[in-house]
């Protein structure tokens, strides 16, 4: 079985993330959706909250394993005998950081291969931080999020 890890802060999980995950399932039999804690980004949802929401969204899809992880991604991958890391690539400045991360992961664990999917044309402008910002300023973000995340964010930022 071909498995991959798709990790991110997913704070919140956007339609851009969803698009990468869905398209990734055309390449991999199973994807581990790993919610990573980010030390540099201020979180809106706690790891537990994100894990709960994503588990609810994907509860009927046995090919998606939702889990929270706070250590190194390569450790998670190695522990679960996974060789592939799935990433999304937007034209809005992702490349340098993604290049660095993929190279570093391969340096730490030589069997890890990072696979990039170019962002869907409707989502290239979409980022979690921008969604939070727009919502805080009173804009409508419903079209960018799964309804479960939209309801949760509305509740939180009331
Ligand atoms: P963000 O930058 O939105 O906080 P994450 O850290 O959650 O994103 O990102 C996880 C992965 O998803 C990264 O590979 C990132 O490039 C990708 N990603 C994020 N937003 C999009 C999008 N709109 N389209 C495609 N890929 C995306």
């Amino acid at each position: 079985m071909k498995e991959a890890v798709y990790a991110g802060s997913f704070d919140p999980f956007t339609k851009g993330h969803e698009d990468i995950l869905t398209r990734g399932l055309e390449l991999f039999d199973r994807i581990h959706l790993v919610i990573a804690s980010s030390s540099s980004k201020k979180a809106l949802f706690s790891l537990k909250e994100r894990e709960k929401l994503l588990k609810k969204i994907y509860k009927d899809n046995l090919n998606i394993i939702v889990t929270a992880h706070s250590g190194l991604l390569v450790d998670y991958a190695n522990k679960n005998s996974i060789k592939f890391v799935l990433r999304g690539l937007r034209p809005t400045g992702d490349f340098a950081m993604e290049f660095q991360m993929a190279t570093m992961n391969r340096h730490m664990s030589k069997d890890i291969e990072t696979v990039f999917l170019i962002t869907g044309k409707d989502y290239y402008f979409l980022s979690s931080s921008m969604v939070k910002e727009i919502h805080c300023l009173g804009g409508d973000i419903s079209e960018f999020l799964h309804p479960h995340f939209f309801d949760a964010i509305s509740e939180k930022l009331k």
Side-chain angles (χ1 to χ4, degrees), residues 47-95:
L47 272 189
K48 273 266 161 276
E49 287 172 320
R50 279 172 271 165
E51 187 182 15
K52 203 171 151 198
L53 280 164
L54 285 164
K55 278 198 163 143
K56 194 166 149 190
I57 293 171
Y58 292 115
K59 67 177 169 14
D60 295 327
N61 195 332
L62 301 177
N63 302 326
I64 299 171
I65 313 275
V66 175
T67 184
H69 177 70
S70 46
L72 286 174
L73 184 61
V74 288
D75 288 344
Y76 180 89
N78 288 334
K79 205 170 129 207
N80 291 281
S81 310
I82 301 172
K83 291 200 162 147
F84 299 99
V85 171
L86 175 67
R87 301 290 293 175
L89 206 54
R90 291 162 293 184
T92 47
D94 277 342
F95 184 75

Side-chain angles (χ1 to χ4, degrees), residues 6-7 9-10 17 41 87-88 90 94 98 119 123 126 128:
Y6 179 38
S9 28
F10 307 134
H17 294 129
K41 294 182 196 163
R87 301 290 293 175
R90 291 162 293 184
D94 277 342
E98 292 293 343
T119 183
Y123 310 115
L126 197 52
S128 301

Side-chain angles (χ1 to χ4, degrees), residues 88-106:
L89 206 54
R90 291 162 293 184
T92 47
D94 277 342
F95 184 75
M97 181 51 119
E98 292 293 343
F99 179 87
Q100 207 174 356
M101 256 186 339
T103 311
M104 185 51 92
N105 281 340
R106 217 167 145 70

Side-chain angles (χ1 to χ4, degrees), residues 6-17 19-20 23 38 41 86-90 94 98 101 116-120 122-130 132:
Y6 179 38
S9 28
F10 307 134
D11 184 44
F13 189 77
T14 69
K15 294 243 170 110
H17 294 129
D19 177 57
I20 297 295
R23 288 162 56 208
S38 166
K41 294 182 196 163
L86 175 67
R87 301 290 293 175
L89 206 54
R90 291 162 293 184
D94 277 342
E98 292 293 343
M101 256 186 339
F116 294 99
L117 288 180
I118 296 290
T119 183
D122 295 331
Y123 310 115
Y124 70 90
F125 58 90
L126 197 52
S127 76
S128 301
S129 346
M130 188 165 285
K132 281 184 268 195

